[in-house]
Amino acid sequence: MSVSPKVKVCGMRDSHNIDAIAKLKPDYMGFIFYPKSPRFLGDDYNASALGRIPKTIKKTGVFVNATEDEIAETIVKFDLQAAQLHGNESPDLCSKVKAMNVEVIKAFQVGEDFDFDVLNPYNGVCDYFLFDTKTKHYGGSGHKFDWKILDKYDNDIPVFLSGGISIDDVEDVKKLQHLNIYAVDINSKFEVEPALKNVEMVSEFMTKLKNN
């Protein structure tokens, strides 16, 4: 790729791990505000741990069918720069979140029968689409979907590529030059345990990705 995709490291929680990953300078760092996730940040999490993150890294809140008020309160509390809506959120809610002065990343679960027409109502109210593997739950499966399906996408809105991406996928990601891949979202394949990342693996992945 002429320009390497940006990197989002998602599902962070441990304060020391956050500091270590921040030193690698990913473009985005994701924090999950979905209680059913094993990577849930927690209701009583100390926001100061996120305050140490450099401004160059966009703090991203991941929400699943949260209310407008819940999202707004969380954005303010944790000084978020982006909101990833990972549930069945409507275009109207996306528009309202966009008005909160954050980037809006709308996630969609992609399977073999995915109909890209469902994206149309979201044009103009989202900054990015995130394509994740279709599961019974909302993300975090650790499995990849068939990236060939993305050949059917019209590329109008830049994409976050997610779903079971590992350090072994770097060369395959680089082959997606014809797609509007804005960022790569990494999570479970880089973990020691849920919400705790292997810093060396993340560093190696980022280095390989940037080396065209």
Side-chain angles (χ1 to χ4, degrees):
M1 288 184 174
S2 56
V3 178
S4 299
K6 296 183 182 301
V7 174
K8 174 172 171 278
V9 183
C10 199
M12 301 298 297
R13 184 168 60 213
D14 179 85
S15 60
H16 296 295
N17 199 222
I18 289 171
D19 291 341
I21 292 295
K23 289 180 181 177
L24 302 179
K25 301 180 180 179
D27 303 282
Y28 292 79
M29 197 179 289
F31 304 92
I32 298 177
F33 297 95
Y34 178 51
K36 293 182 180 180
S37 170
R39 300 168 185 85
F40 176 48
L41 197 65
D43 291 319
D44 56 354
Y45 195 83
N46 187 347
S48 64
L50 274 60
R52 298 195 298 270
I53 297 172
K55 296 295 184 183
T56 53
I57 302 172
K58 294 181 180 178
K59 297 191 293 291
T60 306
V62 180
F63 303 92
V64 177
N65 300 326
T67 66
E68 179 185 349
D69 287 344
E70 288 171 339
I71 295 171
E73 290 170 5
T74 305
I75 287 172
V76 172
K77 179 179 179 180
F78 293 96
D79 187 29
L80 302 178
Q81 286 77 51
Q84 180 177 317
L85 306 181
H86 216 94
N88 304 312
E89 296 85 5
S90 67
D92 181 59
L93 180 60
C94 292
S95 179
K96 290 176 179 176
V97 175
K98 191 169 171 59
M100 298 174 192
N101 199 32
V102 293
E103 293 181 1
V104 175
I105 306 164
K106 180 67 186 84
F108 295 90
Q109 295 195 6
V110 178
E112 291 181 6
D113 58 348
F114 185 73
D115 181 3
F116 284 91
D117 286 343
V118 302
L119 306 177
N120 294 337
Y122 293 88
N123 287 329
V125 296
C126 300
D127 295 285
Y128 307 102
F129 291 146
L130 182 147
F131 294 136
D132 197 2
T133 306
K134 185 177 181 179
T135 65
K136 293 181 179 179
H137 306 288
Y138 295 98
S141 70
H143 298 291
K144 284 194 293 292
F145 63 92
D146 185 355
W147 293 347
K148 292 179 182 177
I149 296 169
L150 298 181
D151 288 339
K152 300 177 183 178
Y153 179 53
D154 62 16
N155 282 338
D156 277 355
I157 305 293
V159 168
F160 278 68
L161 184 64
S162 185
I165 295 172
S166 74
I167 200 164
D168 297 324
D169 292 318
V170 172
E171 294 307 316
D172 287 335
V173 170
K174 290 181 178 181
K175 293 175 183 176
L176 304 177
Q177 298 179 27
H178 58 295
L179 299 173
N180 194 0
I181 305 295
Y182 176 76
V184 177
D185 186 298
I186 60 174
N187 192 344
S188 61
K189 293 295 186 180
F190 293 83
E191 289 185 330
V192 179
E193 59 185 60
L196 189 67
K197 301 297 183 287
N198 182 313
V199 180
E200 289 74 22
M201 282 182 65
V202 174
S203 177
E204 184 180 349
F205 177 85
M206 291 179 61
T207 299
K208 287 183 174 180
L209 190 67
K210 301 297 182 185
N211 289 338
N212 291 319

PDB file of all heavy atoms in Angstrom, residues 9-14 17 21 30 32 37-40 140-142 165-167 186-202:
ATOM      1  N   VAL A   9      -5.752  -0.114  18.471  1.00  0.00           N
ATOM      2  CA  VAL A   9      -5.605  -1.191  19.442  1.00  0.00           C
ATOM      3  C   VAL A   9      -6.817  -1.114  20.363  1.00  0.00           C
ATOM      4  O   VAL A   9      -7.008  -0.128  21.074  1.00  0.00           O
ATOM      5  CB  VAL A   9      -4.302  -1.067  20.254  1.00  0.00           C
ATOM      6  CG1 VAL A   9      -4.161  -2.247  21.210  1.00  0.00           C
ATOM      7  CG2 VAL A   9      -3.097  -0.987  19.325  1.00  0.00           C
ATOM      8  N   CYS A  10      -7.645  -2.148  20.324  1.00  0.00           N
ATOM      9  CA  CYS A  10      -8.928  -2.076  21.015  1.00  0.00           C
ATOM     10  C   CYS A  10      -8.976  -3.002  22.230  1.00  0.00           C
ATOM     11  O   CYS A  10      -8.209  -3.953  22.336  1.00  0.00           O
ATOM     12  CB  CYS A  10     -10.056  -2.440  20.051  1.00  0.00           C
ATOM     13  SG  CYS A  10     -11.677  -1.867  20.599  1.00  0.00           S
ATOM     14  N   GLY A  11      -9.887  -2.685  23.143  1.00  0.00           N
ATOM     15  CA  GLY A  11     -10.102  -3.526  24.309  1.00  0.00           C
ATOM     16  C   GLY A  11      -9.071  -3.340  25.401  1.00  0.00           C
ATOM     17  O   GLY A  11      -8.637  -4.293  26.041  1.00  0.00           O
ATOM     18  N   MET A  12      -8.675  -2.100  25.643  1.00  0.00           N
ATOM     19  CA  MET A  12      -7.676  -1.794  26.659  1.00  0.00           C
ATOM     20  C   MET A  12      -8.355  -1.548  28.021  1.00  0.00           C
ATOM     21  O   MET A  12      -9.484  -1.093  28.092  1.00  0.00           O
ATOM     22  CB  MET A  12      -6.870  -0.560  26.257  1.00  0.00           C
ATOM     23  CG  MET A  12      -6.142  -0.677  24.925  1.00  0.00           C
ATOM     24  SD  MET A  12      -4.905  -1.983  24.906  1.00  0.00           S
ATOM     25  CE  MET A  12      -3.763  -1.387  26.151  1.00  0.00           C
ATOM     26  N   ARG A  13      -7.594  -1.855  29.108  1.00  0.00           N
ATOM     27  CA  ARG A  13      -8.150  -1.599  30.443  1.00  0.00           C
ATOM     28  C   ARG A  13      -7.065  -1.370  31.508  1.00  0.00           C
ATOM     29  O   ARG A  13      -7.140  -0.425  32.287  1.00  0.00           O
ATOM     30  CB  ARG A  13      -9.053  -2.763  30.876  1.00  0.00           C
ATOM     31  CG  ARG A  13      -9.751  -2.546  32.215  1.00  0.00           C
ATOM     32  CD  ARG A  13     -10.829  -3.586  32.443  1.00  0.00           C
ATOM     33  NE  ARG A  13     -10.284  -4.943  32.446  1.00  0.00           N
ATOM     34  CZ  ARG A  13     -10.956  -6.001  31.993  1.00  0.00           C
ATOM     35  NH1 ARG A  13     -12.178  -5.866  31.488  1.00  0.00           N
ATOM     36  NH2 ARG A  13     -10.394  -7.203  32.018  1.00  0.00           N
ATOM     37  N   ASP A  14      -6.050  -2.227  31.527  1.00  0.00           N
ATOM     38  CA  ASP A  14      -4.997  -2.117  32.546  1.00  0.00           C
ATOM     39  C   ASP A  14      -4.180  -0.838  32.344  1.00  0.00           C
ATOM     40  O   ASP A  14      -3.678  -0.576  31.251  1.00  0.00           O
ATOM     41  CB  ASP A  14      -4.079  -3.339  32.461  1.00  0.00           C
ATOM     42  CG  ASP A  14      -2.951  -3.293  33.459  1.00  0.00           C
ATOM     43  OD1 ASP A  14      -3.153  -3.709  34.606  1.00  0.00           O
ATOM     44  OD2 ASP A  14      -1.851  -2.808  33.078  1.00  0.00           O
ATOM     45  N   ASN A  17      -0.606  -1.298  31.086  1.00  0.00           N
ATOM     46  CA  ASN A  17      -0.653  -1.781  29.716  1.00  0.00           C
ATOM     47  C   ASN A  17      -1.018  -0.642  28.764  1.00  0.00           C
ATOM     48  O   ASN A  17      -0.468  -0.533  27.664  1.00  0.00           O
ATOM     49  CB  ASN A  17      -1.670  -2.921  29.623  1.00  0.00           C
ATOM     50  CG  ASN A  17      -1.488  -3.796  28.397  1.00  0.00           C
ATOM     51  OD1 ASN A  17      -2.459  -4.179  27.758  1.00  0.00           O
ATOM     52  ND2 ASN A  17      -0.254  -4.141  28.047  1.00  0.00           N
ATOM     53  N   ILE A  21       1.350   0.525  25.660  1.00  0.00           N
ATOM     54  CA  ILE A  21       0.855   0.561  24.276  1.00  0.00           C
ATOM     55  C   ILE A  21       0.904   1.984  23.736  1.00  0.00           C
ATOM     56  O   ILE A  21       1.210   2.205  22.553  1.00  0.00           O
ATOM     57  CB  ILE A  21      -0.569  -0.014  24.194  1.00  0.00           C
ATOM     58  CG1 ILE A  21      -0.567  -1.523  24.496  1.00  0.00           C
ATOM     59  CG2 ILE A  21      -1.183   0.244  22.828  1.00  0.00           C
ATOM     60  CD1 ILE A  21       0.165  -2.374  23.493  1.00  0.00           C
ATOM     61  N   GLY A  30      -8.894   1.782  21.782  1.00  0.00           N
ATOM     62  CA  GLY A  30     -10.306   1.552  22.041  1.00  0.00           C
ATOM     63  C   GLY A  30     -10.598   1.052  23.450  1.00  0.00           C
ATOM     64  O   GLY A  30      -9.872   0.212  23.988  1.00  0.00           O
ATOM     65  N   ILE A  32     -13.875  -0.377  25.815  1.00  0.00           N
ATOM     66  CA  ILE A  32     -15.200  -0.967  25.631  1.00  0.00           C
ATOM     67  C   ILE A  32     -16.134  -0.642  26.788  1.00  0.00           C
ATOM     68  O   ILE A  32     -15.846  -0.973  27.950  1.00  0.00           O
ATOM     69  CB  ILE A  32     -15.075  -2.482  25.413  1.00  0.00           C
ATOM     70  CG1 ILE A  32     -14.272  -2.729  24.129  1.00  0.00           C
ATOM     71  CG2 ILE A  32     -16.453  -3.140  25.330  1.00  0.00           C
ATOM     72  CD1 ILE A  32     -13.994  -4.176  23.813  1.00  0.00           C
ATOM     73  N   SER A  37     -19.110  -7.484  27.730  1.00  0.00           N
ATOM     74  CA  SER A  37     -17.811  -7.809  27.135  1.00  0.00           C
ATOM     75  C   SER A  37     -16.799  -8.170  28.217  1.00  0.00           C
ATOM     76  O   SER A  37     -16.756  -7.531  29.273  1.00  0.00           O
ATOM     77  CB  SER A  37     -17.284  -6.619  26.336  1.00  0.00           C
ATOM     78  OG  SER A  37     -15.927  -6.850  25.951  1.00  0.00           O
ATOM     79  N   PRO A  38     -15.931  -9.187  27.973  1.00  0.00           N
ATOM     80  CA  PRO A  38     -14.867  -9.501  28.928  1.00  0.00           C
ATOM     81  C   PRO A  38     -13.824  -8.387  29.001  1.00  0.00           C
ATOM     82  O   PRO A  38     -12.976  -8.403  29.894  1.00  0.00           O
ATOM     83  CB  PRO A  38     -14.258 -10.795  28.375  1.00  0.00           C
ATOM     84  CG  PRO A  38     -14.590 -10.782  26.918  1.00  0.00           C
ATOM     85  CD  PRO A  38     -15.927 -10.108  26.813  1.00  0.00           C
ATOM     86  N   ARG A  39     -13.928  -7.431  28.094  1.00  0.00           N
ATOM     87  CA  ARG A  39     -12.996  -6.300  28.072  1.00  0.00           C
ATOM     88  C   ARG A  39     -13.680  -4.996  28.518  1.00  0.00           C
ATOM     89  O   ARG A  39     -13.168  -3.914  28.279  1.00  0.00           O
ATOM     90  CB  ARG A  39     -12.396  -6.141  26.664  1.00  0.00           C
ATOM     91  CG  ARG A  39     -11.634  -7.374  26.217  1.00  0.00           C
ATOM     92  CD  ARG A  39     -11.279  -7.347  24.746  1.00  0.00           C
ATOM     93  NE  ARG A  39     -10.654  -8.602  24.342  1.00  0.00           N
ATOM     94  CZ  ARG A  39     -11.333  -9.691  23.983  1.00  0.00           C
ATOM     95  NH1 ARG A  39     -12.662  -9.651  23.943  1.00  0.00           N
ATOM     96  NH2 ARG A  39     -10.701 -10.801  23.659  1.00  0.00           N
ATOM     97  N   PHE A  40     -14.821  -5.147  29.175  1.00  0.00           N
ATOM     98  CA  PHE A  40     -15.575  -3.996  29.685  1.00  0.00           C
ATOM     99  C   PHE A  40     -14.679  -3.162  30.602  1.00  0.00           C
ATOM    100  O   PHE A  40     -14.027  -3.691  31.501  1.00  0.00           O
ATOM    101  CB  PHE A  40     -16.806  -4.501  30.438  1.00  0.00           C
ATOM    102  CG  PHE A  40     -17.629  -3.431  31.103  1.00  0.00           C
ATOM    103  CD1 PHE A  40     -17.994  -2.285  30.426  1.00  0.00           C
ATOM    104  CD2 PHE A  40     -18.059  -3.595  32.415  1.00  0.00           C
ATOM    105  CE1 PHE A  40     -18.768  -1.305  31.028  1.00  0.00           C
ATOM    106  CE2 PHE A  40     -18.839  -2.631  33.032  1.00  0.00           C
ATOM    107  CZ  PHE A  40     -19.197  -1.478  32.337  1.00  0.00           C
ATOM    108  N   GLY A 140     -15.395  -9.377  19.146  1.00  0.00           N
ATOM    109  CA  GLY A 140     -14.551 -10.119  20.071  1.00  0.00           C
ATOM    110  C   GLY A 140     -14.495 -11.613  19.827  1.00  0.00           C
ATOM    111  O   GLY A 140     -14.127 -12.384  20.707  1.00  0.00           O
ATOM    112  N   SER A 141     -14.841 -12.048  18.623  1.00  0.00           N
ATOM    113  CA  SER A 141     -14.882 -13.481  18.338  1.00  0.00           C
ATOM    114  C   SER A 141     -13.495 -14.075  18.099  1.00  0.00           C
ATOM    115  O   SER A 141     -13.273 -15.267  18.301  1.00  0.00           O
ATOM    116  CB  SER A 141     -15.750 -13.749  17.102  1.00  0.00           C
ATOM    117  OG  SER A 141     -15.112 -13.263  15.930  1.00  0.00           O
ATOM    118  N   GLY A 142     -12.566 -13.231  17.641  1.00  0.00           N
ATOM    119  CA  GLY A 142     -11.239 -13.730  17.306  1.00  0.00           C
ATOM    120  C   GLY A 142     -11.198 -14.427  15.960  1.00  0.00           C
ATOM    121  O   GLY A 142     -10.188 -15.034  15.609  1.00  0.00           O
ATOM    122  N   ILE A 165      -7.868 -10.280  13.448  1.00  0.00           N
ATOM    123  CA  ILE A 165      -6.614  -9.964  12.749  1.00  0.00           C
ATOM    124  C   ILE A 165      -5.426 -10.282  13.660  1.00  0.00           C
ATOM    125  O   ILE A 165      -5.410  -9.902  14.832  1.00  0.00           O
ATOM    126  CB  ILE A 165      -6.599  -8.489  12.320  1.00  0.00           C
ATOM    127  CG1 ILE A 165      -7.700  -8.241  11.282  1.00  0.00           C
ATOM    128  CG2 ILE A 165      -5.236  -8.099  11.751  1.00  0.00           C
ATOM    129  CD1 ILE A 165      -7.901  -6.786  10.933  1.00  0.00           C
ATOM    130  N   SER A 166      -4.456 -10.997  13.093  1.00  0.00           N
ATOM    131  CA  SER A 166      -3.280 -11.398  13.865  1.00  0.00           C
ATOM    132  C   SER A 166      -2.005 -10.867  13.208  1.00  0.00           C
ATOM    133  O   SER A 166      -2.039 -10.266  12.125  1.00  0.00           O
ATOM    134  CB  SER A 166      -3.204 -12.924  13.966  1.00  0.00           C
ATOM    135  OG  SER A 166      -2.795 -13.477  12.724  1.00  0.00           O
ATOM    136  N   ILE A 167      -0.898 -11.135  13.851  1.00  0.00           N
ATOM    137  CA  ILE A 167       0.395 -10.679  13.337  1.00  0.00           C
ATOM    138  C   ILE A 167       0.733 -11.365  12.019  1.00  0.00           C
ATOM    139  O   ILE A 167       1.550 -10.866  11.231  1.00  0.00           O
ATOM    140  CB  ILE A 167       1.492 -10.919  14.402  1.00  0.00           C
ATOM    141  CG1 ILE A 167       2.710 -10.040  14.128  1.00  0.00           C
ATOM    142  CG2 ILE A 167       1.863 -12.398  14.483  1.00  0.00           C
ATOM    143  CD1 ILE A 167       3.642  -9.914  15.302  1.00  0.00           C
ATOM    144  N   ILE A 186      -7.014  -4.122  15.859  1.00  0.00           N
ATOM    145  CA  ILE A 186      -6.485  -5.356  16.448  1.00  0.00           C
ATOM    146  C   ILE A 186      -6.910  -5.470  17.905  1.00  0.00           C
ATOM    147  O   ILE A 186      -7.043  -4.476  18.607  1.00  0.00           O
ATOM    148  CB  ILE A 186      -4.951  -5.451  16.316  1.00  0.00           C
ATOM    149  CG1 ILE A 186      -4.251  -4.288  17.025  1.00  0.00           C
ATOM    150  CG2 ILE A 186      -4.552  -5.493  14.849  1.00  0.00           C
ATOM    151  CD1 ILE A 186      -2.725  -4.424  17.044  1.00  0.00           C
ATOM    152  N   ASN A 187      -7.103  -6.725  18.333  1.00  0.00           N
ATOM    153  CA  ASN A 187      -7.597  -6.932  19.687  1.00  0.00           C
ATOM    154  C   ASN A 187      -7.191  -8.308  20.222  1.00  0.00           C
ATOM    155  O   ASN A 187      -6.086  -8.495  20.699  1.00  0.00           O
ATOM    156  CB  ASN A 187      -9.129  -6.752  19.702  1.00  0.00           C
ATOM    157  CG  ASN A 187      -9.720  -6.658  21.095  1.00  0.00           C
ATOM    158  OD1 ASN A 187      -9.070  -7.006  22.075  1.00  0.00           O
ATOM    159  ND2 ASN A 187     -10.947  -6.208  21.202  1.00  0.00           N
ATOM    160  N   SER A 188      -8.086  -9.282  20.104  1.00  0.00           N
ATOM    161  CA  SER A 188      -7.936 -10.550  20.826  1.00  0.00           C
ATOM    162  C   SER A 188      -6.688 -11.348  20.469  1.00  0.00           C
ATOM    163  O   SER A 188      -6.125 -12.046  21.319  1.00  0.00           O
ATOM    164  CB  SER A 188      -9.182 -11.417  20.626  1.00  0.00           C
ATOM    165  OG  SER A 188      -9.379 -11.713  19.257  1.00  0.00           O
ATOM    166  N   LYS A 189      -6.229 -11.273  19.218  1.00  0.00           N
ATOM    167  CA  LYS A 189      -5.073 -12.056  18.791  1.00  0.00           C
ATOM    168  C   LYS A 189      -3.753 -11.523  19.353  1.00  0.00           C
ATOM    169  O   LYS A 189      -2.687 -12.110  19.128  1.00  0.00           O
ATOM    170  CB  LYS A 189      -4.997 -12.100  17.265  1.00  0.00           C
ATOM    171  CG  LYS A 189      -6.132 -12.862  16.599  1.00  0.00           C
ATOM    172  CD  LYS A 189      -6.125 -14.348  16.953  1.00  0.00           C
ATOM    173  CE  LYS A 189      -7.182 -15.099  16.167  1.00  0.00           C
ATOM    174  NZ  LYS A 189      -7.198 -16.547  16.505  1.00  0.00           N
ATOM    175  N   PHE A 190      -3.826 -10.419  20.088  1.00  0.00           N
ATOM    176  CA  PHE A 190      -2.623  -9.810  20.652  1.00  0.00           C
ATOM    177  C   PHE A 190      -2.681  -9.795  22.177  1.00  0.00           C
ATOM    178  O   PHE A 190      -1.964  -9.038  22.816  1.00  0.00           O
ATOM    179  CB  PHE A 190      -2.452  -8.381  20.113  1.00  0.00           C
ATOM    180  CG  PHE A 190      -2.151  -8.336  18.645  1.00  0.00           C
ATOM    181  CD1 PHE A 190      -3.177  -8.412  17.717  1.00  0.00           C
ATOM    182  CD2 PHE A 190      -0.847  -8.250  18.182  1.00  0.00           C
ATOM    183  CE1 PHE A 190      -2.912  -8.397  16.348  1.00  0.00           C
ATOM    184  CE2 PHE A 190      -0.567  -8.237  16.820  1.00  0.00           C
ATOM    185  CZ  PHE A 190      -1.603  -8.307  15.909  1.00  0.00           C
ATOM    186  N   GLU A 191      -3.519 -10.659  22.731  1.00  0.00           N
ATOM    187  CA  GLU A 191      -3.750 -10.612  24.166  1.00  0.00           C
ATOM    188  C   GLU A 191      -3.076 -11.732  24.949  1.00  0.00           C
ATOM    189  O   GLU A 191      -3.007 -12.878  24.504  1.00  0.00           O
ATOM    190  CB  GLU A 191      -5.254 -10.645  24.460  1.00  0.00           C
ATOM    191  CG  GLU A 191      -5.950  -9.353  24.081  1.00  0.00           C
ATOM    192  CD  GLU A 191      -7.412  -9.316  24.477  1.00  0.00           C
ATOM    193  OE1 GLU A 191      -8.053 -10.384  24.511  1.00  0.00           O
ATOM    194  OE2 GLU A 191      -7.914  -8.218  24.749  1.00  0.00           O
ATOM    195  N   VAL A 192      -2.631 -11.365  26.142  1.00  0.00           N
ATOM    196  CA  VAL A 192      -2.168 -12.319  27.134  1.00  0.00           C
ATOM    197  C   VAL A 192      -3.396 -12.901  27.829  1.00  0.00           C
ATOM    198  O   VAL A 192      -3.466 -14.088  28.135  1.00  0.00           O
ATOM    199  CB  VAL A 192      -1.245 -11.627  28.159  1.00  0.00           C
ATOM    200  CG1 VAL A 192      -0.767 -12.616  29.211  1.00  0.00           C
ATOM    201  CG2 VAL A 192      -0.061 -10.970  27.468  1.00  0.00           C
ATOM    202  N   GLU A 193      -4.361 -12.032  28.058  1.00  0.00           N
ATOM    203  CA  GLU A 193      -5.666 -12.371  28.608  1.00  0.00           C
ATOM    204  C   GLU A 193      -6.600 -11.235  28.196  1.00  0.00           C
ATOM    205  O   GLU A 193      -6.125 -10.198  27.714  1.00  0.00           O
ATOM    206  CB  GLU A 193      -5.615 -12.509  30.134  1.00  0.00           C
ATOM    207  CG  GLU A 193      -5.154 -11.236  30.844  1.00  0.00           C
ATOM    208  CD  GLU A 193      -5.006 -11.434  32.345  1.00  0.00           C
ATOM    209  OE1 GLU A 193      -4.198 -12.298  32.756  1.00  0.00           O
ATOM    210  OE2 GLU A 193      -5.684 -10.711  33.100  1.00  0.00           O
ATOM    211  N   PRO A 194      -7.921 -11.402  28.326  1.00  0.00           N
ATOM    212  CA  PRO A 194      -8.821 -10.334  27.894  1.00  0.00           C
ATOM    213  C   PRO A 194      -8.444  -8.975  28.480  1.00  0.00           C
ATOM    214  O   PRO A 194      -8.252  -8.842  29.692  1.00  0.00           O
ATOM    215  CB  PRO A 194     -10.190 -10.811  28.389  1.00  0.00           C
ATOM    216  CG  PRO A 194     -10.088 -12.299  28.332  1.00  0.00           C
ATOM    217  CD  PRO A 194      -8.669 -12.598  28.768  1.00  0.00           C
ATOM    218  N   ALA A 195      -8.287  -7.985  27.594  1.00  0.00           N
ATOM    219  CA  ALA A 195      -7.980  -6.591  27.953  1.00  0.00           C
ATOM    220  C   ALA A 195      -6.520  -6.357  28.333  1.00  0.00           C
ATOM    221  O   ALA A 195      -6.158  -5.263  28.756  1.00  0.00           O
ATOM    222  CB  ALA A 195      -8.894  -6.075  29.065  1.00  0.00           C
ATOM    223  N   LEU A 196      -5.666  -7.371  28.170  1.00  0.00           N
ATOM    224  CA  LEU A 196      -4.241  -7.187  28.464  1.00  0.00           C
ATOM    225  C   LEU A 196      -3.444  -7.571  27.218  1.00  0.00           C
ATOM    226  O   LEU A 196      -3.386  -8.738  26.837  1.00  0.00           O
ATOM    227  CB  LEU A 196      -3.811  -8.053  29.652  1.00  0.00           C
ATOM    228  CG  LEU A 196      -2.392  -7.789  30.182  1.00  0.00           C
ATOM    229  CD1 LEU A 196      -2.304  -6.398  30.810  1.00  0.00           C
ATOM    230  CD2 LEU A 196      -2.002  -8.854  31.206  1.00  0.00           C
ATOM    231  N   LYS A 197      -2.815  -6.584  26.582  1.00  0.00           N
ATOM    232  CA  LYS A 197      -2.135  -6.804  25.310  1.00  0.00           C
ATOM    233  C   LYS A 197      -0.668  -7.179  25.489  1.00  0.00           C
ATOM    234  O   LYS A 197       0.009  -6.715  26.412  1.00  0.00           O
ATOM    235  CB  LYS A 197      -2.239  -5.537  24.446  1.00  0.00           C
ATOM    236  CG  LYS A 197      -3.673  -5.102  24.133  1.00  0.00           C
ATOM    237  CD  LYS A 197      -4.424  -6.141  23.325  1.00  0.00           C
ATOM    238  CE  LYS A 197      -5.819  -5.697  22.934  1.00  0.00           C
ATOM    239  NZ  LYS A 197      -6.791  -5.690  24.036  1.00  0.00           N
ATOM    240  N   ASN A 198      -0.191  -7.999  24.560  1.00  0.00           N
ATOM    241  CA  ASN A 198       1.221  -8.322  24.471  1.00  0.00           C
ATOM    242  C   ASN A 198       1.899  -7.166  23.727  1.00  0.00           C
ATOM    243  O   ASN A 198       1.739  -7.021  22.513  1.00  0.00           O
ATOM    244  CB  ASN A 198       1.409  -9.643  23.715  1.00  0.00           C
ATOM    245  CG  ASN A 198       2.862 -10.072  23.619  1.00  0.00           C
ATOM    246  OD1 ASN A 198       3.733  -9.273  23.289  1.00  0.00           O
ATOM    247  ND2 ASN A 198       3.130 -11.345  23.869  1.00  0.00           N
ATOM    248  N   VAL A 199       2.615  -6.360  24.437  1.00  0.00           N
ATOM    249  CA  VAL A 199       3.190  -5.127  23.886  1.00  0.00           C
ATOM    250  C   VAL A 199       4.159  -5.420  22.750  1.00  0.00           C
ATOM    251  O   VAL A 199       4.172  -4.719  21.727  1.00  0.00           O
ATOM    252  CB  VAL A 199       3.889  -4.310  24.995  1.00  0.00           C
ATOM    253  CG1 VAL A 199       4.494  -3.029  24.418  1.00  0.00           C
ATOM    254  CG2 VAL A 199       2.898  -3.978  26.109  1.00  0.00           C
ATOM    255  N   GLU A 200       4.986  -6.472  22.912  1.00  0.00           N
ATOM    256  CA  GLU A 200       5.968  -6.810  21.881  1.00  0.00           C
ATOM    257  C   GLU A 200       5.280  -7.219  20.575  1.00  0.00           C
ATOM    258  O   GLU A 200       5.717  -6.845  19.483  1.00  0.00           O
ATOM    259  CB  GLU A 200       6.882  -7.938  22.367  1.00  0.00           C
ATOM    260  CG  GLU A 200       7.866  -7.525  23.453  1.00  0.00           C
ATOM    261  CD  GLU A 200       7.196  -7.321  24.808  1.00  0.00           C
ATOM    262  OE1 GLU A 200       6.091  -7.892  25.010  1.00  0.00           O
ATOM    263  OE2 GLU A 200       7.752  -6.609  25.654  1.00  0.00           O
ATOM    264  N   MET A 201       4.194  -7.972  20.691  1.00  0.00           N
ATOM    265  CA  MET A 201       3.465  -8.396  19.497  1.00  0.00           C
ATOM    266  C   MET A 201       2.829  -7.208  18.782  1.00  0.00           C
ATOM    267  O   MET A 201       2.859  -7.120  17.554  1.00  0.00           O
ATOM    268  CB  MET A 201       2.391  -9.419  19.870  1.00  0.00           C
ATOM    269  CG  MET A 201       2.905 -10.819  20.107  1.00  0.00           C
ATOM    270  SD  MET A 201       1.561 -11.986  20.480  1.00  0.00           S
ATOM    271  CE  MET A 201       0.661 -11.957  18.924  1.00  0.00           C
ATOM    272  N   VAL A 202       2.250  -6.300  19.542  1.00  0.00           N
ATOM    273  CA  VAL A 202       1.646  -5.115  18.941  1.00  0.00           C
ATOM    274  C   VAL A 202       2.716  -4.284  18.242  1.00  0.00           C
ATOM    275  O   VAL A 202       2.523  -3.803  17.121  1.00  0.00           O
ATOM    276  CB  VAL A 202       0.910  -4.262  19.999  1.00  0.00           C
ATOM    277  CG1 VAL A 202       0.412  -2.951  19.384  1.00  0.00           C
ATOM    278  CG2 VAL A 202      -0.263  -5.036  20.595  1.00  0.00           C
TER     279      VAL A 202
END
